Each structure stands twice: as C-alpha cells, then as structure tokens.
Amino acid sequence: MESMLSLIVPVYNEEEVLEVSFNRMDEVMRNIGYPYEIIYVNDGSRDGSMRILRRIAAENPQVKVRSFSRNFGHQTAVTCGMDAAVGDALIIIDVDLQDPPEVIEDMVRAWEDGADIAYGKRVKRQGETFMKKFTAKCYYRLLKAMSANEIPLDTGDFRLIDRKVADVFLKMREHNRFLRGMSAWMGFESVPIEFVRNERYAGKTKYTLKKMLKLAMDGIIGFSDRPLTLPGYFGAGVCGLSGLALLTLIILCICGVGVAPWLWAFLGVTTLFGLGFLFLGIQGAYMNRMYDELKDRPLYIVAEDINLD
Ligand code: UDP
Ligand code: MG
C-alpha cells in the first residue's frame, strides 16, 4: 500500500495566518504526491481560529481538527497531533509559516532515502529580535554542554519523523515534554535539513517569556542530571581540600609548630560546608534515579530486528 503523510500543525490564536498557511501547506503536500492528512490541534485559541478551522475542514476532507478545552501548550498540542496521526511519516510544523512548508519536500526525500528523522536546522533566522536569537544561541549551547545526548544545535520542532519514531513518542508519556530532546534521546537515523527561518507571516509570537522559560527548563531538567549531581562534586572537592588542610595542621601540631586557633575554626566550618553539599549531591543521586523511574521511558529502542519474529 502507498505510504501516507501526516502534517501536524499546532494552533494558538492564529486567525491572521490560518487561511494563507493552509493554502500554502496544502499545495506543498499535494505536490509531494503521497496521500496526506493535515491535523490541526487547536490549543485553546480564544480568537476566531476555530471558526476558520471548521470551515477549512468542511471544505477539505484531508483536514482533521482536534480542539483542546484550554491552552495546554505547544509541546502538548504537537503530542496530541502525533497521537491522532495515522501516517507512515509525521511532519511537525508551526502554523505561522516561519518554517517554510517547501522544506517538507526535502524532508520527505531524505525519508525516502532511509532517514528516520529529518530535522530542520536553521542556518539563518529572519525577522526575530537580537535578544531572541542571542538567548536561543546561548541556550542551545548550554543544553548541549549539560545533556548526555547530543541535541542538535539550532533546531526546533520542525521535522519529519518516521512512524517507528512516532510509535516511541506514543510510549513516552512524560508530562514536562521537550520534544526535540526526546527525539535526540531516542537516537535513530537523523538527517539535518538546512533552511532559513522566515519572519512570522502575521500576528505576534504566542511563546510568551514565561512559556519560553518553562520550555528551557524542561530541556535542562528533563535531559541533564547535572543540576542534581554538581553540588555533590562541589562538596566532595571542598571536603577533600579542607580535609587535606586539616591533616597538614595536625601534622604541624605534632611537630610542635604553633597554629592560629582561627585556622582550626575556619577549616572546621569549610569541612562542614563541604559535607553539606556532598550530602545534597548524594540526595540528588537518589532523586535522579526516582525521576528516571517516574519518567518511565522505554529501557531501549529497537531500530531493526533480523531473524526475530
Ligand atoms: N502554539 C501553541 N500553543 C501555545 C503557543 C504556541 O499551539 O501555547 C503554536 C503556535 O500557534 C505556532 C507554534 O506553536 O503554530 C509556535 O508558536 P510561535 O510561532 O508563537 O513561537 P515562536 O516561533 O515565536 O517561537
Ligand atoms: Mg513562530
């Protein structure tokens, strides 16, 4: 049977862009040549987005809409789209045309050539503030330094994923979701597709500073154990140094060299301080394990089986 594509589009108060966005995306999908569905997930819009979506869906049977009771956030909306999609490859794209729909063609070609994930890599970002570009650049580098899995730089959620990747997403039900991190954690054959990120077609960003910070935290907390383990290393370092210093003082005392009393007090305090951090780190190690168990991610992910049924 012929393969089918699912385009997943999260929507939050996007009445200014929906119509134009649909026309452009629909044309690109039609030209690619596979049967396709376009799934809009309305993330609790309070403007006229739903009215427009109802009309588009009434006129186009390939359009499907799932509408939330309130705003649950972009990452959850995309997850919902993945849950609903029935295609053999899923493509995630923003509705505001910042991710050029034409790039989907390149992603599909990469998929036909065997890629499991074809992710959009921004080589340039147009029409975004210096602050946004600068903070994004710093953040992606910090995340890379902190996390054990290689999360590709300058990459958002604009990507194509094969059905087998989507099936793993269906199994990963962690609540604080950072999809691009989850995708990197899974592994699979990933191919970057470079593109220039455009300006928003119309309207303003729906990612408020608060939502942005939450996403940034989800990335670090969900994919790095460093914040919990670092205090332990720090504490061990301080304890080690002050232990050595204490030992030197004791030897000096034994050798009959006089030692200022405040030095004893000072080293006593730093040792206790170090111990405090060391135990914080040990607690962190337990918390990391609990957190891991709670996330309940699959133990391993199979890419291929041979002679196994
Ligand atoms: N979005 C959403 N829920 C939200 C915020 C955003 O579904 O709470 C959607 C939005 O409609 C768009 C995509 O997520 O399709 C990306 O949002 P936006 O373009 O505002 O973010 P930016 O590109 O400025 O980071
Ligand atoms: Mg945008």
Side-chain angles (χ1 to χ4, degrees):
M1 225 181 66
E2 203 182 0
S3 296
M4 177 178 169
L5 304 178
S6 302
L7 187 68
I8 297 168
V9 195
V11 176
Y12 181 48
N13 295 338
E14 302 280 12
E15 60 185 1
E16 299 107 314
V17 306
L18 259 173
E19 189 81 53
V20 175
S21 169
F22 166 70
N23 288 335
R24 218 166 115 196
M25 290 184 188
D26 194 55
E27 192 187 334
V28 167
M29 294 306 284
R30 202 172 336 113
N31 287 339
I32 290 176
Y34 289 103
Y36 63 95
E37 58 178 357
I38 302 183
I39 303 176
Y40 287 101
V41 181
N42 171 41
D43 186 12
S45 298
R46 279 182 300 259
D47 65 352
S49 296
M50 254 329 263
R51 193 171 22 84
I52 301 171
L53 284 176
R54 274 194 199 99
R55 189 172 43 68
I56 294 176
E59 291 163 5
N60 301 276
Q62 75 277 28
V63 171
K64 302 168 183 182
V65 181
R66 181 156 280 173
S67 183
F68 286 170
S69 58
R70 64 166 170 84
N71 181 248
F72 280 90
H74 169 242
Q75 301 282 299
T76 310
V78 171
T79 304
C80 165
M82 291 183 187
D83 292 347
V86 295
D88 302 288
L90 279 53
I91 303 124
I92 297 147
I93 191 168
D94 287 354
V95 72
D96 60 2
L97 298 175
Q98 278 197 283
D99 308 328
E102 293 69 27
V103 177
I104 298 172
E105 288 172 22
D106 300 335
M107 293 180 170
V108 172
R109 299 298 158 245
W111 175 64
E112 288 170 336
D113 289 342
D116 297 314
I117 300 174
Y119 60 93
K121 187 173 165 63
R122 309 154 178 164
V123 284
K124 216 169 133 198
R125 298 168 74 128
Q126 281 171 350
E128 285 180 302
T129 60
F130 169 76
M131 224 21 222
K132 175 132 186 175
K133 283 191 259 196
F134 178 72
T135 48
K137 232 181 167 93
C138 293
Y139 174 72
Y140 285 123
R141 274 142 193 91
L142 173 74
L143 187 63
K144 188 185 162 93
M146 285 181 81
S147 90
N149 311 102
E150 193 65 21
I151 300 178
L153 291 172
D154 307 318
T155 300
D157 291 315
F158 180 32
R159 64 186 57 217
L160 174 149
I161 59 174
D162 183 75
R163 166 51 53 192
K164 62 179 176 232
V165 181
D167 285 344
V168 182
F169 269 111
L170 297 189
K171 285 196 205 132
M172 292 172 76
R173 301 317 284 183
E174 54 204 78
H175 282 216
N176 298 287
R177 299 173 81 75
F178 185 66
L179 299 173
R180 60 201 84 159
M182 292 162 73
S183 179
W185 179 86
M186 286 178 204
F188 286 115
E189 195 72 37
S190 305
V191 176
I193 307 285
E194 297 195 336
F195 74 101
V196 176
R197 191 156 212 244
N198 289 327
E199 258 175 88
R200 203 174 220 288
Y201 174 74
K204 281 205 295 279
T205 176
K206 304 301 176 307
Y207 253 98
T208 54
L209 185 64
K210 196 171 147 208
K211 282 183 173 162
M212 213 67 202
L213 285 175
K214 161 90 170 74
L215 184 70
M217 288 295 279
D218 285 343
I220 289 177
I221 295 177
F223 292 90
S224 171
D225 56 9
R226 303 274 161 85
L228 283 175
T229 51
L230 276 182
Y233 293 123
F234 175 71
V238 171
C239 270
L241 284 178
S242 43
L244 270 180
L246 273 176
L247 203 69
T248 319
L249 284 199
I250 292 168
I251 293 171
L252 284 177
C253 267
I254 293 171
C255 297
V257 183
V259 173
W262 67 265
L263 215 54
W264 289 106
F266 176 74
L267 287 179
V269 171
T270 48
T271 310
L272 280 177
F273 182 78
L275 273 178
F277 271 89
L278 184 62
F279 283 110
L280 212 71
I282 293 173
Q283 294 209 356
Y286 280 90
M287 278 166 73
N288 261 331
R289 278 163 184 69
M290 285 195 263
Y291 186 39
D292 253 4
E293 301 294 339
L294 279 175
K295 274 189 285 197
D296 203 21
R297 290 184 186 160
L299 265 187
Y300 52 83
I301 300 162
V302 176
E304 191 181 343
D305 278 335
I306 297 178
N307 288 353
L308 278 164
D309 36 46

